[in-house]
Amino acid sequence: MQPIIWGTAGHIDHGKTALIEALTGTNTDRLQEEQERGVTIDIGFAFLNDDISFIDVPGHEKFIKNMVTGVATIDAALLVIAADDGVMPQTREHLAILDLLGVSAGVIALTKSDIADPDWLELVEETIREWATNTGFENATIVRTSAETGQGIDELREEILDISGKVPRRLDRKIPRLPVDRVFTVKGFGTVVTGSVLSGDFRNGVSCDVLPGRKTVKVRGIQSHGHDVESVGMSERAALNLGGVETEDIQRGDQITNEGFLSATETLYVNAKLLPDTEHVLGQNQRVRIHLGTTEILGRCSILSANVIHPGETGFVKLRLEETAVVGYQDRFILRFYSPMETIGGGKVLYSSRFPNQNKKQVLEHLENLQSPEIREASLAFLQIAHPDFLSLDALSKAMFYGKDLLRNPVKKLVDEGLLAEFLLDGQTKYGTTSGIENLRDRAVEIVAAYQKNHPMEPGIKRSQLEQNLDIPGQTFQTIIRLLIEDGELVEEGPLLRTPDFEIRLSDSDANLKKDIEEKIRADGMQPPSLGDLAEHFSLEEKRLRQFLKILIYEKSIERLPDDLYFHKSAKANLKNHLQTFFAEDETLSVGEFKDIIGGSRKYAIPLLEYSDQQGWTMRDGEVRRKYNL
């Protein structure tokens, strides 16, 4: 049999704790106050056998917080109803909580059956059947029991064993996770925490994170059902002896998981459902109590799908928490009214962070997509949210809290179907949505085309300017541009990008002016003019002059030297010839010797020598140049 955790539910004084003791021999009221008052205050624990655990919860309305803590991690429920009372207020609230948490497997124990006559028992059972209609327990078996006389205990035990073997197993996300429900110190061992393992397994000697503080600890010992074990897995109760942390640094509600997984947040996006019989509505900025796993947090609501959610309705809600919470995708939660404290609904967590630069319409679309329980659809939804970032399988695993082995095949299918694209970036395979990539490609080409239209004399847009205008992560930008160049949608020439059909179009007068500028630069030869020289010579504003110079550089007629000098291609050939002639007879070239070669001053000699170094013709050696690759 697979391990399974059962929880009790039911009104105060209906005999939950006595029934568990009759089944297991364990009195789960461990606190002195509980034993003195005969009232369960906190959760207690017992074991039916090596595979079946019980979490006993309080039935008093004042301790609903502890009740939710107990049932938040269970697989099946033992709903306890006293024969002399029947269905009571906390019976109703507890069943509503079980429904909201998705707990539908279980059995109904009709306790104190020894003090009621058969006709009354028939009437109570009929009432229970009618009341449980349209809940997860409408077809649950009702077993008449008495912890006092032992009536029905064996029958109930057999029913529990039978159900335990049939309960559909939750999907194991393959990542260790344990919400802490108790913390204490054991002399000689140190800090011990207990909880139910929600996924993955914990092993002796491994390091884990304790959240929300993200303290790194080491598992030094494990017990389950009172026995020392080497590992403990999903749906098992566990006591972990932790090294590297003090007892006062951990509390109920903290969670233990693999290093780097999960994170603390103060913003949740959820799909919330209100109970049909609640007297309250969920309105904008309403303060509520939010029960997440083994913790309770106060928060306020922002209704996204409407202005208000009425009883029986569902809607998307942004919850702004008053303190940090640790949650995962698809975690269930309970909503209680702030005052009076009544359960009003619950639902599932769809996203546990802020949506990056998304408007309300986009957020609602993402939330709609995140509702799917299928890993394939959820993976696509998370990658759509991450756009324009690309995610590796590791990053997607951490975002979704699903093990990589669970994601590998669904992601591969999405690639095969053309919904995702994969790229090898920085030694990792990363994924992005094809729709998002196509959108970025279209935007990039549109920006380039618009620039060309507005700057007809410019040979192209600077790559850096396009990246700034697109405003996307650098890795994504480089990938998009590479794809566009490979597919011929953009042409790259040096630092510039243009569309393949773009041509610089000049008026006749501008064409003649460009020709004159080139001729001036050619004629100056080894004494290349500066931007200022050319502006003065042609009586042009520098901004307009630069346009012509960019075109000449684009056409490879001229080059720009250090100190903003402009050098004609014919002079470049002459410079190379001069250097070859000189180094045929000499090994070193000084600045003075070079000034004699070009017939110019130091103003031109230094930039031309630096240019020669850049070309790889010469190499500086102290105050002289030596032949390098000439």
Side-chain angles (χ1 to χ4, degrees), residues 457 505-517 544 547-548 551:
M457 290 180 61
R505 293 178 176 84
L506 300 177
S507 65
D508 290 343
S509 60
D510 282 345
N512 289 331
L513 180 55
K514 185 197 79 167
K515 184 178 179 182
D516 292 342
I517 293 170
R544 177 159 165 74
Q547 292 181 321
F548 290 101
I551 296 171

PDB file of all heavy atoms in Angstrom, residues 457 505-517 544 547-548 551:
ATOM      1  N   MET A 457      18.807  59.145 -45.256  1.00  0.00           N
ATOM      2  CA  MET A 457      20.213  59.316 -45.596  1.00  0.00           C
ATOM      3  C   MET A 457      21.132  58.492 -44.687  1.00  0.00           C
ATOM      4  O   MET A 457      22.350  58.497 -44.850  1.00  0.00           O
ATOM      5  CB  MET A 457      20.612  60.794 -45.515  1.00  0.00           C
ATOM      6  CG  MET A 457      20.002  61.648 -46.615  1.00  0.00           C
ATOM      7  SD  MET A 457      20.495  63.378 -46.488  1.00  0.00           S
ATOM      8  CE  MET A 457      22.287  63.257 -46.659  1.00  0.00           C
ATOM      9  N   ARG A 505      18.652  57.065 -50.668  1.00  0.00           N
ATOM     10  CA  ARG A 505      18.182  57.857 -51.795  1.00  0.00           C
ATOM     11  C   ARG A 505      18.514  59.330 -51.541  1.00  0.00           C
ATOM     12  O   ARG A 505      18.050  59.925 -50.574  1.00  0.00           O
ATOM     13  CB  ARG A 505      16.680  57.678 -51.999  1.00  0.00           C
ATOM     14  CG  ARG A 505      16.305  56.274 -52.454  1.00  0.00           C
ATOM     15  CD  ARG A 505      14.792  56.117 -52.611  1.00  0.00           C
ATOM     16  NE  ARG A 505      14.440  54.814 -53.122  1.00  0.00           N
ATOM     17  CZ  ARG A 505      14.306  53.730 -52.376  1.00  0.00           C
ATOM     18  NH1 ARG A 505      14.483  53.809 -51.079  1.00  0.00           N
ATOM     19  NH2 ARG A 505      13.983  52.567 -52.927  1.00  0.00           N
ATOM     20  N   LEU A 506      19.333  59.907 -52.457  1.00  0.00           N
ATOM     21  CA  LEU A 506      19.741  61.299 -52.326  1.00  0.00           C
ATOM     22  C   LEU A 506      19.212  62.123 -53.489  1.00  0.00           C
ATOM     23  O   LEU A 506      19.104  61.626 -54.624  1.00  0.00           O
ATOM     24  CB  LEU A 506      21.274  61.402 -52.298  1.00  0.00           C
ATOM     25  CG  LEU A 506      22.001  60.663 -51.169  1.00  0.00           C
ATOM     26  CD1 LEU A 506      23.505  60.833 -51.349  1.00  0.00           C
ATOM     27  CD2 LEU A 506      21.564  61.163 -49.820  1.00  0.00           C
ATOM     28  N   SER A 507      18.917  63.374 -53.187  1.00  0.00           N
ATOM     29  CA  SER A 507      18.570  64.298 -54.273  1.00  0.00           C
ATOM     30  C   SER A 507      19.833  64.568 -55.100  1.00  0.00           C
ATOM     31  O   SER A 507      20.957  64.261 -54.670  1.00  0.00           O
ATOM     32  CB  SER A 507      18.034  65.609 -53.694  1.00  0.00           C
ATOM     33  OG  SER A 507      19.057  66.271 -52.964  1.00  0.00           O
ATOM     34  N   ASP A 508      19.655  65.135 -56.269  1.00  0.00           N
ATOM     35  CA  ASP A 508      20.807  65.414 -57.134  1.00  0.00           C
ATOM     36  C   ASP A 508      21.809  66.323 -56.425  1.00  0.00           C
ATOM     37  O   ASP A 508      23.026  66.097 -56.475  1.00  0.00           O
ATOM     38  CB  ASP A 508      20.346  66.064 -58.443  1.00  0.00           C
ATOM     39  CG  ASP A 508      19.593  65.079 -59.326  1.00  0.00           C
ATOM     40  OD1 ASP A 508      19.724  63.864 -59.080  1.00  0.00           O
ATOM     41  OD2 ASP A 508      18.878  65.529 -60.250  1.00  0.00           O
ATOM     42  N   SER A 509      21.297  67.348 -55.722  1.00  0.00           N
ATOM     43  CA  SER A 509      22.193  68.285 -55.048  1.00  0.00           C
ATOM     44  C   SER A 509      22.948  67.604 -53.915  1.00  0.00           C
ATOM     45  O   SER A 509      24.148  67.824 -53.712  1.00  0.00           O
ATOM     46  CB  SER A 509      21.414  69.496 -54.520  1.00  0.00           C
ATOM     47  OG  SER A 509      20.429  69.073 -53.586  1.00  0.00           O
ATOM     48  N   ASP A 510      22.241  66.708 -53.163  1.00  0.00           N
ATOM     49  CA  ASP A 510      22.904  65.989 -52.075  1.00  0.00           C
ATOM     50  C   ASP A 510      23.917  64.994 -52.621  1.00  0.00           C
ATOM     51  O   ASP A 510      24.998  64.794 -52.035  1.00  0.00           O
ATOM     52  CB  ASP A 510      21.879  65.267 -51.207  1.00  0.00           C
ATOM     53  CG  ASP A 510      21.165  66.209 -50.245  1.00  0.00           C
ATOM     54  OD1 ASP A 510      21.652  67.341 -50.063  1.00  0.00           O
ATOM     55  OD2 ASP A 510      20.125  65.809 -49.686  1.00  0.00           O
ATOM     56  N   ALA A 511      23.597  64.376 -53.765  1.00  0.00           N
ATOM     57  CA  ALA A 511      24.529  63.429 -54.375  1.00  0.00           C
ATOM     58  C   ALA A 511      25.813  64.141 -54.792  1.00  0.00           C
ATOM     59  O   ALA A 511      26.930  63.620 -54.616  1.00  0.00           O
ATOM     60  CB  ALA A 511      23.881  62.738 -55.561  1.00  0.00           C
ATOM     61  N   ASN A 512      25.668  65.333 -55.343  1.00  0.00           N
ATOM     62  CA  ASN A 512      26.847  66.098 -55.750  1.00  0.00           C
ATOM     63  C   ASN A 512      27.661  66.533 -54.535  1.00  0.00           C
ATOM     64  O   ASN A 512      28.903  66.522 -54.563  1.00  0.00           O
ATOM     65  CB  ASN A 512      26.416  67.328 -56.564  1.00  0.00           C
ATOM     66  CG  ASN A 512      25.885  66.941 -57.931  1.00  0.00           C
ATOM     67  OD1 ASN A 512      26.292  65.922 -58.496  1.00  0.00           O
ATOM     68  ND2 ASN A 512      24.980  67.749 -58.477  1.00  0.00           N
ATOM     69  N   LEU A 513      26.956  66.929 -53.458  1.00  0.00           N
ATOM     70  CA  LEU A 513      27.656  67.335 -52.248  1.00  0.00           C
ATOM     71  C   LEU A 513      28.429  66.167 -51.651  1.00  0.00           C
ATOM     72  O   LEU A 513      29.576  66.315 -51.205  1.00  0.00           O
ATOM     73  CB  LEU A 513      26.664  67.896 -51.236  1.00  0.00           C
ATOM     74  CG  LEU A 513      27.241  68.384 -49.897  1.00  0.00           C
ATOM     75  CD1 LEU A 513      28.345  69.415 -50.127  1.00  0.00           C
ATOM     76  CD2 LEU A 513      26.130  68.952 -49.015  1.00  0.00           C
ATOM     77  N   LYS A 514      27.809  65.009 -51.652  1.00  0.00           N
ATOM     78  CA  LYS A 514      28.494  63.819 -51.134  1.00  0.00           C
ATOM     79  C   LYS A 514      29.763  63.540 -51.948  1.00  0.00           C
ATOM     80  O   LYS A 514      30.830  63.218 -51.391  1.00  0.00           O
ATOM     81  CB  LYS A 514      27.551  62.608 -51.183  1.00  0.00           C
ATOM     82  CG  LYS A 514      28.139  61.351 -50.537  1.00  0.00           C
ATOM     83  CD  LYS A 514      27.407  60.098 -50.946  1.00  0.00           C
ATOM     84  CE  LYS A 514      27.875  59.677 -52.324  1.00  0.00           C
ATOM     85  NZ  LYS A 514      27.473  58.321 -52.712  1.00  0.00           N
ATOM     86  N   LYS A 515      29.645  63.684 -53.268  1.00  0.00           N
ATOM     87  CA  LYS A 515      30.788  63.466 -54.148  1.00  0.00           C
ATOM     88  C   LYS A 515      31.909  64.456 -53.846  1.00  0.00           C
ATOM     89  O   LYS A 515      33.093  64.094 -53.812  1.00  0.00           O
ATOM     90  CB  LYS A 515      30.339  63.585 -55.600  1.00  0.00           C
ATOM     91  CG  LYS A 515      31.421  63.284 -56.619  1.00  0.00           C
ATOM     92  CD  LYS A 515      30.864  63.377 -58.029  1.00  0.00           C
ATOM     93  CE  LYS A 515      31.954  63.097 -59.063  1.00  0.00           C
ATOM     94  NZ  LYS A 515      31.427  63.222 -60.458  1.00  0.00           N
ATOM     95  N   ASP A 516      31.541  65.711 -53.587  1.00  0.00           N
ATOM     96  CA  ASP A 516      32.538  66.733 -53.278  1.00  0.00           C
ATOM     97  C   ASP A 516      33.239  66.441 -51.952  1.00  0.00           C
ATOM     98  O   ASP A 516      34.448  66.659 -51.822  1.00  0.00           O
ATOM     99  CB  ASP A 516      31.876  68.112 -53.227  1.00  0.00           C
ATOM    100  CG  ASP A 516      31.400  68.585 -54.585  1.00  0.00           C
ATOM    101  OD1 ASP A 516      31.873  68.028 -55.600  1.00  0.00           O
ATOM    102  OD2 ASP A 516      30.538  69.503 -54.617  1.00  0.00           O
ATOM    103  N   ILE A 517      32.481  65.983 -50.975  1.00  0.00           N
ATOM    104  CA  ILE A 517      33.066  65.659 -49.662  1.00  0.00           C
ATOM    105  C   ILE A 517      34.078  64.524 -49.814  1.00  0.00           C
ATOM    106  O   ILE A 517      35.190  64.575 -49.261  1.00  0.00           O
ATOM    107  CB  ILE A 517      31.969  65.297 -48.650  1.00  0.00           C
ATOM    108  CG1 ILE A 517      31.105  66.526 -48.340  1.00  0.00           C
ATOM    109  CG2 ILE A 517      32.577  64.744 -47.353  1.00  0.00           C
ATOM    110  CD1 ILE A 517      29.866  66.229 -47.538  1.00  0.00           C
ATOM    111  N   ARG A 544      24.473  67.559 -40.094  1.00  0.00           N
ATOM    112  CA  ARG A 544      24.181  67.231 -41.498  1.00  0.00           C
ATOM    113  C   ARG A 544      25.402  66.618 -42.169  1.00  0.00           C
ATOM    114  O   ARG A 544      25.285  65.668 -42.951  1.00  0.00           O
ATOM    115  CB  ARG A 544      23.729  68.484 -42.243  1.00  0.00           C
ATOM    116  CG  ARG A 544      23.465  68.268 -43.730  1.00  0.00           C
ATOM    117  CD  ARG A 544      22.555  69.371 -44.275  1.00  0.00           C
ATOM    118  NE  ARG A 544      22.547  69.408 -45.721  1.00  0.00           N
ATOM    119  CZ  ARG A 544      21.933  68.534 -46.513  1.00  0.00           C
ATOM    120  NH1 ARG A 544      21.277  67.506 -45.958  1.00  0.00           N
ATOM    121  NH2 ARG A 544      21.953  68.662 -47.825  1.00  0.00           N
ATOM    122  N   GLN A 547      25.849  62.891 -41.667  1.00  0.00           N
ATOM    123  CA  GLN A 547      25.007  62.028 -42.494  1.00  0.00           C
ATOM    124  C   GLN A 547      25.741  61.609 -43.761  1.00  0.00           C
ATOM    125  O   GLN A 547      25.708  60.441 -44.167  1.00  0.00           O
ATOM    126  CB  GLN A 547      23.704  62.747 -42.844  1.00  0.00           C
ATOM    127  CG  GLN A 547      22.779  62.965 -41.654  1.00  0.00           C
ATOM    128  CD  GLN A 547      21.500  63.660 -42.047  1.00  0.00           C
ATOM    129  OE1 GLN A 547      21.505  64.572 -42.878  1.00  0.00           O
ATOM    130  NE2 GLN A 547      20.399  63.230 -41.447  1.00  0.00           N
ATOM    131  N   PHE A 548      26.413  62.552 -44.405  1.00  0.00           N
ATOM    132  CA  PHE A 548      27.160  62.231 -45.623  1.00  0.00           C
ATOM    133  C   PHE A 548      28.361  61.342 -45.303  1.00  0.00           C
ATOM    134  O   PHE A 548      28.690  60.417 -46.054  1.00  0.00           O
ATOM    135  CB  PHE A 548      27.624  63.529 -46.304  1.00  0.00           C
ATOM    136  CG  PHE A 548      26.501  64.318 -46.909  1.00  0.00           C
ATOM    137  CD1 PHE A 548      25.987  65.426 -46.269  1.00  0.00           C
ATOM    138  CD2 PHE A 548      25.945  63.937 -48.137  1.00  0.00           C
ATOM    139  CE1 PHE A 548      24.945  66.162 -46.821  1.00  0.00           C
ATOM    140  CE2 PHE A 548      24.906  64.671 -48.700  1.00  0.00           C
ATOM    141  CZ  PHE A 548      24.401  65.783 -48.047  1.00  0.00           C
ATOM    142  N   ILE A 551      27.288  57.777 -44.858  1.00  0.00           N
ATOM    143  CA  ILE A 551      27.037  57.126 -46.145  1.00  0.00           C
ATOM    144  C   ILE A 551      28.355  56.704 -46.790  1.00  0.00           C
ATOM    145  O   ILE A 551      28.496  55.584 -47.303  1.00  0.00           O
ATOM    146  CB  ILE A 551      26.257  58.076 -47.086  1.00  0.00           C
ATOM    147  CG1 ILE A 551      24.874  58.363 -46.508  1.00  0.00           C
ATOM    148  CG2 ILE A 551      26.140  57.460 -48.473  1.00  0.00           C
ATOM    149  CD1 ILE A 551      24.122  59.456 -47.239  1.00  0.00           C
TER     150      ILE A 551
END
